[in-house]
Amino acid sequence: MKRRSIKQIVYNTMYLQDTLPGKAFNLLLIVSIVMSVFVVLAYSIPSVAAEYWYAVNYLEFFFTVLFTIEYLLRAWCSPSSKSYMFSTFGVIDLLSIAPTWITIIFPLFPSLALLRLFRVLRILRLVKLLQYLNDTHLMMQILLNSRRRIAVLSLWIMVLVVIFGTLMYVIEGQENGFTSIPISIYWAIVTLTTVGYGHITPQTVLGKAVASLIMLIGYSMIVVLAGVISQEFSDVKKKLQGMTCSSCGTSDHAHDAVYCKRCGARL
Amino acid sequence: MKRRSIKQIVYNTMYLQDTLPGKAFNLLLIVSIVMSVFVVLAYSIPSVAAEYWYAVNYLEFFFTVLFTIEYLLRAWCSPSSKSYMFSTFGVIDLLSIAPTWITIIFPLFPSLALLRLFRVLRILRLVKLLQYLNDTHLMMQILLNSRRRIAVLSLWIMVLVVIFGTLMYVIEGQENGFTSIPISIYWAIVTLTTVGYGHITPQTVLGKAVASLIMLIGYSMIVVLAGVISQEFSDVKKKLQGMTCSSCGTSDHAHDAVYCKRCGARL
Amino acid sequence: MKRRSIKQIVYNTMYLQDTLPGKAFNLLLIVSIVMSVFVVLAYSIPSVAAEYWYAVNYLEFFFTVLFTIEYLLRAWCSPSSKSYMFSTFGVIDLLSIAPTWITIIFPLFPSLALLRLFRVLRILRLVKLLQYLNDTHLMMQILLNSRRRIAVLSLWIMVLVVIFGTLMYVIEGQENGFTSIPISIYWAIVTLTTVGYGHITPQTVLGKAVASLIMLIGYSMIVVLAGVISQEFSDVKKKLQGMTCSSCGTSDHAHDAVYCKRCGARL
Amino acid sequence: MKRRSIKQIVYNTMYLQDTLPGKAFNLLLIVSIVMSVFVVLAYSIPSVAAEYWYAVNYLEFFFTVLFTIEYLLRAWCSPSSKSYMFSTFGVIDLLSIAPTWITIIFPLFPSLALLRLFRVLRILRLVKLLQYLNDTHLMMQILLNSRRRIAVLSLWIMVLVVIFGTLMYVIEGQENGFTSIPISIYWAIVTLTTVGYGHITPQTVLGKAVASLIMLIGYSMIVVLAGVISQEFSDVKKKLQGMTCSSCGTSDHAHDAVYCKRCGARL
């Protein structure tokens, strides 16, 4: 019985943020996550990693132990250990501590490239921060309800950059840097999204004319699509929030309305 | 009679997507299109084309045969062969298979440049994908209804880049890369659309001041025009979705109107 | 009396676009303007100007004669010659034909740089096209009504780029290309507007951090300001279009409403 | 008694802009601020500072004396000198005159770098201009009410650039310019915000694919977020502008509501 209540207290502290210890724990966890991410960043800078080799490794080890304890406690105190371990955040928690343990247990890690890949998995700790954002709800719902529209837009953009990329490949050719269609498509994406690295630029007159067209399409699309999508979202939001008055049929009441704003009837 | 029913079945499978065979056929077609586009892309990469010469050519031949069969079947089963063959998608279907057949029939193609141009026509297969997007309807209608406004905006942008391009040509001159007015206009487009390749940059103080002005105009125009156009579209959408009064036929009422705004009759 | 009616006919043809000759004249004028602009552009390309010297000059002379006749006719047929000659379009008409006449009358023009500046004045013919855009009305009114807001925004952006430019000048210094505060401000404008030429880039760690901040501010401002300004314009448009119902006080009727949409009373 | 009325007059002139002397004083102050900022800018250009050494220094001294008098007068005439001196604008006023006085009093300033940092503090005079913008009110309130949403968005963008930066560091590696994770994150910010300097560009095929994805996400986010945020602001504005029910005190009614949505009473 006592053990169960301890489990309950740990659960409340870790998962609920209403109580004072819960708030303290979660604040500490956020600070730890941010600091451990900075350690991973520092580790990747050759000069810092060389000079502060011990400090960086000790900090990394310290945070790994900390997050391992957190992982074990979460698995132990949650009503179903299995459902936590196979949840998105459970997997991320595991992936972000595993690399350090594996490099400690197998110090003679075979491939250096794989080791590097492995190490950066620790950056996933950052994703743990996202669980504290609990008001992305409406925004997410709007985006989910518009996912078909967004997919259609993406397909249009894809077709646009493939056609324009191919066109530029034919016009400019290999001698001006457009060495293959995929490279030309990459260039078209760089231009349409108005990023414009400038590592490849059209040299022929016709190529410059087509490039101008791509730029103007990319630029106008921001302006025009922002307007269209704003109208789209306005519909989706109304649908998500809408209640219909049974007496007069008005449907776009505010989401917290109790009485119909037109006829005064109770909703 | 029997032949006609086969024709009917083929037509239903190819054009309608309600039945199971129709769905299966169209899914297969989409996969074939995407794969054949990847083959065209691979073909254009010198190293890939050299190493996998046979594989790429065989795959290209295979997809050409496939799309030729599709083309012939579509022409045969559609109620009017002629109307299909001269429709947009009919022409695209033909253009995307013709290049391969012509290079097979005339292996000693005279011009290499023309051959390259010819080959990339096969990328048009991608456009066939667009026929599956049947819900771009409202968005298209909004854009069509606003096409006059979009044309006016385009003309304004044109006048802006021509004036600013000419100004920069006078200020910077040929020694700083602004070798002619068209080149300066091209630079003005690159700057106004915020692409910014950086292949030509102003060197004089006055040139930098004018360039700053162009950038700020380009930047502000996104912000301001997105707002204006959003309001425009809101009107267009209301008109498109609007109720029609049964007594006087007025159709563009506000979406929450109860009485006809023209004759006062209840909607 | 007869002369007056000829004047009337010429006036109607030139200024009104309802009649068939009026439409024909204005279409011809638009084509002439576009073609004459292309001649000016061609003139500025050294290779084209060298090869087609006579063609370009003859065309330029031809269009100058044409627009001179147009100018004289407009001055003669308009009710008040003076008010036309001192109107915006009258001055532009004169400025766009003057350069050619002056270079013909004074072939030994002293300064070559001044001549070049002078010649490009002919590009102003393009501005004459804008007189055909008569539905920029509502958009212009919205912009005029929001001009104070746009001025405030511009001032904010100015303060932002001056402060950030100065900061980068202190952080990066002359050795990394930030040679003076005005150059740094120019760089801040290039970065904030997301143009990003890449001709100067921060080299120090702190400089890169501040540059990241400027980019994120510039990027977020597009998103956030487009939303704020869209709401602003919505208010302005309502005010411009609004009528208030005298019986129930509802004020946001559509601009062509005759009856109140809420209570059905005549507006 | 007389001295008090002088204090009153000075106060009215400096702080209120209703009277003619008040308007004249404030206009003069604005002009002085703008001119003194130009002097600071000119001072930082090596060639100008060398050639016009005396003019620039005399002007700087003149403006410093002017703003010192303004500072002393403001402190003297305001009801509470202390509250002015410790207000934001009071501190800025002091910081923008202190550097010149200190360099005059201590001509043998030890560090040249510190001196440069010190001198640019004078640019803060520009911030004094912002006190004249008194209609950023509603815009500011909308932004303040949406600050939580903006913070969430910022966090999402942070997570995005850290994850993508790390990914590119693993894919491209040190040999292609992605020398550490922080550098890669900086590159991801440059790309996501569509600035695109082009000082580092991906060289591998996979790197280009991921870069394309970042660009498309950055581009789409402008379009999609502008729409979402526009809807958000529409809610916030309605709440800010909303009517208050006299019977129950609910304040966020829709702008066209006739009855209170909570208690049903007529508004």
Side-chain angles (χ1 to χ4, degrees):
Chain A
M1 179 120 188
K2 207 195 157 191
R3 210 181 130 196
R4 201 173 172 189
S5 77
I6 289 175
K7 206 171 166 178
Q8 193 62 41
I9 289 166
V10 171
Y11 178 83
N12 286 354
T13 310
M14 294 190 99
Y15 285 96
L16 309 176
Q17 299 165 42
D18 311 334
T19 58
L20 194 67
K23 271 182 190 159
F25 170 79
N26 281 289
L27 191 68
L28 212 78
L29 189 59
I30 290 173
V31 172
S32 302
I33 290 168
V34 169
M35 281 176 67
S36 79
V37 166
F38 273 107
V39 170
V40 175
L41 296 193
Y43 204 99
S44 78
I45 308 170
S47 61
V48 172
E51 204 165 335
Y52 304 98
W53 180 256
Y54 286 104
V56 166
N57 273 291
Y58 275 125
L59 277 170
E60 177 52 40
F61 183 68
F62 169 74
F63 284 119
T64 303
V65 169
L66 207 78
F67 292 132
T68 307
I69 294 167
E70 186 217 345
Y71 180 73
L72 295 175
L73 278 178
R74 271 191 201 276
W76 171 67
C77 78
S78 77
S80 156
S81 296
K82 229 176 211 168
S83 74
Y84 163 70
M85 281 160 78
F86 290 99
S87 73
T88 314
F89 280 117
V91 171
I92 286 169
D93 283 358
L94 186 60
L95 280 177
S96 68
I97 51 169
T100 312
W101 287 123
I102 288 173
T103 50
I104 287 170
I105 296 167
F106 306 104
L108 296 165
F109 206 76
S111 154
L112 208 83
L114 209 68
L115 180 65
R116 195 173 63 174
L117 175 68
F118 220 69
R119 245 183 220 140
V120 297
L121 272 177
R122 300 185 304 220
I123 213 85
L124 284 174
R125 286 166 194 163
L126 198 70
V127 179
K128 294 165 67 155
L129 279 185
L130 293 181
Q131 64 193 320
Y132 292 104
L133 307 175
N134 46 7
D135 67 10
T136 52
H137 193 61
L138 180 66
M139 205 181 271
M140 273 295 165
Q141 259 193 308
I142 289 179
L143 288 180
L144 275 177
N145 267 274
S146 310
R147 68 178 178 283
R148 211 183 136 74
R149 193 52 46 98
I150 291 167
V152 168
L153 266 178
S154 304
L155 190 55
W156 266 102
I157 290 175
M158 280 299 141
V159 172
L160 220 63
V161 293
V162 171
I163 298 285
F164 272 120
T166 307
L167 197 61
M168 288 302 282
Y169 168 72
V170 172
I171 293 171
E172 290 284 324
Q174 305 190 349
E175 57 279 13
N176 294 331
F178 294 77
T179 49
S180 67
I181 297 183
I183 288 288
S184 300
I185 292 172
Y186 171 64
W187 173 87
I189 293 174
V190 170
T191 301
L192 188 88
T193 57
T194 79
V195 171
Y197 284 141
H199 63 304
I200 311 173
T201 49
Q203 303 299 323
T204 64
V205 172
L206 192 57
K208 281 170 184 168
V210 174
S212 299
L213 188 64
I214 301 175
M215 289 170 213
L216 289 170
I217 289 176
Y219 182 73
S220 311
M221 259 168 54
I222 298 179
V223 170
V224 172
L225 291 184
V228 176
I229 283 199
S230 172
Q231 291 308 316
E232 279 283 313
F233 286 163
S234 144
D235 285 3
V236 170
K237 208 182 58 174
K238 267 179 199 157
K239 210 161 58 182
L240 287 173
Q241 293 179 338
M243 282 164 289
T244 307
C245 174
S246 52
S247 74
C248 76
T250 305
S251 65
D252 59 322
H253 298 290
H255 65 103
D256 56 350
V258 177
Y259 293 93
C260 174
K261 70 179 179 186
R262 175 113 345 114
C263 67
R266 207 182 171 92
L267 288 172
Chain B
M1 180 120 186
K2 208 195 157 190
R3 212 183 128 194
R4 203 179 170 185
S5 76
I6 290 175
K7 208 171 165 176
Q8 193 61 40
I9 288 167
V10 172
Y11 178 82
N12 287 353
T13 310
M14 296 190 97
Y15 284 96
L16 310 176
Q17 298 166 42
D18 312 333
T19 57
L20 194 68
K23 273 181 190 161
F25 170 79
N26 281 289
L27 191 69
L28 213 79
L29 190 59
I30 290 173
V31 171
S32 303
I33 291 168
V34 170
M35 281 176 67
S36 79
V37 165
F38 273 107
V39 170
V40 176
L41 296 194
Y43 205 99
S44 79
I45 308 170
S47 62
V48 172
E51 204 166 334
Y52 305 97
W53 181 256
Y54 285 105
V56 166
N57 273 292
Y58 276 125
L59 277 170
E60 178 51 40
F61 183 67
F62 169 74
F63 284 119
T64 304
V65 170
L66 207 79
F67 292 132
T68 307
I69 294 168
E70 187 216 344
Y71 181 73
L72 295 175
L73 278 178
R74 271 192 201 276
W76 171 67
C77 78
S78 77
S80 156
S81 295
K82 230 176 210 166
S83 73
Y84 163 69
M85 281 159 77
F86 291 99
S87 73
T88 315
F89 280 116
V91 171
I92 285 169
D93 282 358
L94 187 61
L95 280 176
S96 68
I97 52 170
T100 312
W101 286 121
I102 288 173
T103 49
I104 287 170
I105 296 166
F106 304 105
L108 296 165
F109 206 76
S111 155
L112 207 83
L114 210 68
L115 180 66
R116 196 173 63 173
L117 175 69
F118 221 68
R119 246 183 220 141
V120 296
L121 273 176
R122 300 185 303 219
I123 212 85
L124 284 174
R125 285 166 194 162
L126 199 71
V127 179
K128 293 166 67 156
L129 278 185
L130 294 181
Q131 63 192 322
Y132 293 104
L133 308 175
N134 46 7
D135 66 11
T136 51
H137 193 61
L138 180 66
M139 204 181 272
M140 273 296 164
Q141 259 192 309
I142 289 179
L143 288 179
L144 276 176
N145 266 274
S146 310
R147 67 178 178 284
R148 211 184 137 73
R149 193 54 45 101
I150 290 167
V152 167
L153 266 179
S154 305
L155 190 56
W156 267 101
I157 290 175
M158 280 298 141
V159 171
L160 220 63
V161 293
V162 171
I163 299 285
F164 272 120
T166 307
L167 197 61
M168 288 302 282
Y169 168 73
V170 172
I171 293 171
E172 290 284 325
Q174 304 189 350
E175 57 279 14
N176 294 331
F178 294 77
T179 49
S180 68
I181 296 183
I183 287 288
S184 299
I185 292 172
Y186 171 65
W187 173 87
I189 293 173
V190 171
T191 301
L192 189 88
T193 57
T194 79
V195 171
Y197 283 142
H199 64 302
I200 312 172
T201 49
Q203 303 299 323
T204 64
V205 172
L206 191 57
K208 280 171 186 169
V210 174
S212 298
L213 188 64
I214 301 176
M215 287 170 215
L216 289 170
I217 289 177
Y219 182 73
S220 311
M221 258 168 54
I222 297 179
V223 171
V224 172
L225 292 184
V228 176
I229 283 200
S230 173
Q231 291 307 315
E232 279 284 312
F233 286 163
S234 145
D235 286 1
V236 171
K237 207 183 59 173
K238 267 178 198 156
K239 211 158 56 180
L240 288 173
Q241 291 179 340
M243 291 159 285
T244 307
C245 174
S246 53
S247 74
C248 75
T250 305
S251 66
D252 60 323
H253 299 290
H255 66 103
D256 57 349
V258 177
Y259 295 94
C260 175
K261 68 184 178 182
R262 189 134 299 150
C263 67
R266 207 184 170 90
L267 287 172
Chain C
M1 179 122 186
K2 207 195 156 192
R3 209 181 131 197
R4 199 176 175 187
S5 78
I6 288 175
K7 206 171 167 177
Q8 193 62 41
I9 289 167
V10 171
Y11 178 82
N12 286 354
T13 309
M14 294 191 98
Y15 285 95
L16 310 176
Q17 298 164 42
D18 311 334
T19 58
L20 195 66
K23 272 180 191 162
F25 170 79
N26 281 289
L27 191 68
L28 214 78
L29 190 60
I30 291 173
V31 172
S32 302
I33 291 168
V34 170
M35 281 176 67
S36 78
V37 165
F38 274 106
V39 170
V40 175
L41 296 193
Y43 204 99
S44 79
I45 308 170
S47 62
V48 172
E51 203 165 337
Y52 304 98
W53 180 257
Y54 285 105
V56 167
N57 274 291
Y58 276 125
L59 277 170
E60 178 52 42
F61 183 67
F62 168 75
F63 283 119
T64 304
V65 170
L66 206 80
F67 292 132
T68 307
I69 294 168
E70 186 217 344
Y71 180 73
L72 295 174
L73 278 179
R74 272 192 201 276
W76 171 66
C77 78
S78 76
S80 158
S81 294
K82 230 175 210 167
S83 74
Y84 162 70
M85 281 160 77
F86 291 98
S87 72
T88 316
F89 281 116
V91 170
I92 285 169
D93 283 357
L94 187 61
L95 280 177
S96 68
I97 52 170
T100 312
W101 288 122
I102 289 172
T103 50
I104 287 169
I105 296 165
F106 305 105
L108 295 165
F109 205 77
S111 155
L112 207 82
L114 210 67
L115 180 65
R116 197 174 61 173
L117 174 69
F118 220 68
R119 246 184 219 141
V120 297
L121 272 177
R122 299 185 306 220
I123 213 84
L124 283 174
R125 285 165 195 165
L126 199 71
V127 179
K128 294 165 66 156
L129 278 185
L130 293 181
Q131 64 194 320
Y132 292 104
L133 306 177
N134 46 5
D135 65 12
T136 52
H137 194 61
L138 180 66
M139 204 182 272
M140 274 295 166
Q141 259 192 308
I142 289 178
L143 288 179
L144 275 176
N145 267 273
S146 310
R147 67 178 178 283
R148 210 182 139 74
R149 193 54 44 99
I150 290 167
V152 168
L153 266 179
S154 304
L155 190 56
W156 267 102
I157 290 175
M158 279 299 141
V159 172
L160 220 63
V161 293
V162 170
I163 299 285
F164 273 118
T166 307
L167 197 61
M168 287 302 281
Y169 168 73
V170 172
I171 293 172
E172 290 284 324
Q174 304 189 352
E175 58 279 14
N176 294 330
F178 295 77
T179 49
S180 68
I181 296 183
I183 288 287
S184 298
I185 291 172
Y186 171 64
W187 173 87
I189 293 174
V190 171
T191 300
L192 189 88
T193 58
T194 79
V195 171
Y197 283 143
H199 63 304
I200 312 173
T201 49
Q203 303 298 323
T204 64
V205 173
L206 191 58
K208 280 171 185 169
V210 173
S212 298
L213 187 65
I214 301 175
M215 288 171 214
L216 289 170
I217 289 176
Y219 182 73
S220 310
M221 259 168 54
I222 298 179
V223 170
V224 172
L225 292 184
V228 176
I229 283 199
S230 172
Q231 291 307 316
E232 279 283 313
F233 286 163
S234 145
D235 285 2
V236 170
K237 208 183 57 173
K238 268 179 198 156
K239 208 160 61 183
L240 287 172
Q241 293 179 341
M243 283 163 291
T244 307
C245 174
S246 52
S247 75
C248 75
T250 305
S251 65
D252 61 320
H253 298 289
H255 65 104
D256 56 350
V258 178
Y259 294 94
C260 175
K261 69 179 178 184
R262 175 120 336 122
C263 65
R266 206 180 173 94
L267 290 171
Chain D
M1 178 118 187
K2 206 193 158 192
R3 209 181 130 196
R4 199 175 174 189
S5 77
I6 290 176
K7 205 172 166 178
Q8 192 62 40
I9 288 166
V10 171
Y11 178 82
N12 287 352
T13 310
M14 294 191 98
Y15 285 95
L16 308 176
Q17 298 166 42
D18 311 334
T19 58
L20 194 66
K23 272 181 190 161
F25 170 80
N26 281 290
L27 191 68
L28 213 78
L29 190 59
I30 290 173
V31 171
S32 302
I33 291 169
V34 170
M35 280 176 67
S36 79
V37 165
F38 274 107
V39 170
V40 175
L41 296 194
Y43 205 98
S44 79
I45 307 170
S47 63
V48 172
E51 204 165 335
Y52 304 98
W53 180 256
Y54 286 104
V56 166
N57 274 291
Y58 276 125
L59 277 170
E60 178 52 41
F61 183 68
F62 169 74
F63 284 119
T64 303
V65 170
L66 207 78
F67 293 132
T68 307
I69 294 168
E70 186 216 344
Y71 181 73
L72 296 175
L73 278 178
R74 272 192 201 276
W76 171 67
C77 78
S78 76
S80 156
S81 295
K82 230 177 210 167
S83 73
Y84 162 70
M85 279 161 79
F86 291 98
S87 72
T88 315
F89 281 117
V91 171
I92 286 169
D93 283 358
L94 187 61
L95 280 177
S96 68
I97 51 171
T100 312
W101 287 123
I102 288 174
T103 49
I104 287 170
I105 297 166
F106 306 105
L108 295 164
F109 205 76
S111 154
L112 207 82
L114 210 68
L115 180 65
R116 197 174 61 173
L117 174 70
F118 220 70
R119 243 182 221 143
V120 296
L121 272 177
R122 300 185 304 220
I123 212 83
L124 284 174
R125 286 165 194 165
L126 198 70
V127 179
K128 294 166 65 155
L129 278 185
L130 293 181
Q131 65 193 320
Y132 292 104
L133 306 176
N134 46 6
D135 66 11
T136 51
H137 193 61
L138 180 66
M139 204 182 273
M140 273 297 165
Q141 258 192 309
I142 289 180
L143 287 180
L144 275 177
N145 267 274
S146 310
R147 68 179 177 282
R148 211 182 137 75
R149 192 55 43 99
I150 290 167
V152 167
L153 266 178
S154 305
L155 189 56
W156 266 102
I157 290 176
M158 279 300 141
V159 172
L160 220 63
V161 293
V162 170
I163 298 285
F164 272 120
T166 307
L167 197 61
M168 288 302 281
Y169 168 71
V170 172
I171 293 172
E172 291 283 324
Q174 304 189 352
E175 58 278 15
N176 295 330
F178 293 78
T179 49
S180 67
I181 297 184
I183 287 288
S184 299
I185 292 172
Y186 171 64
W187 173 87
I189 293 173
V190 170
T191 301
L192 189 89
T193 57
T194 80
V195 171
Y197 284 142
H199 63 304
I200 311 173
T201 48
Q203 303 299 323
T204 64
V205 173
L206 191 58
K208 281 171 185 169
V210 174
S212 299
L213 187 65
I214 302 175
M215 288 170 212
L216 290 171
I217 289 176
Y219 182 73
S220 311
M221 260 168 55
I222 298 179
V223 170
V224 172
L225 293 184
V228 176
I229 283 198
S230 173
Q231 291 307 314
E232 280 283 313
F233 286 162
S234 145
D235 284 2
V236 170
K237 207 184 57 174
K238 268 178 198 157
K239 210 156 59 179
L240 288 172
Q241 290 180 341
M243 291 157 287
T244 306
C245 174
S246 51
S247 76
C248 76
T250 305
S251 65
D252 61 322
H253 298 289
H255 66 102
D256 57 349
V258 177
Y259 295 94
C260 174
K261 68 182 176 180
R262 188 136 298 152
C263 67
R266 206 181 172 93
L267 289 171

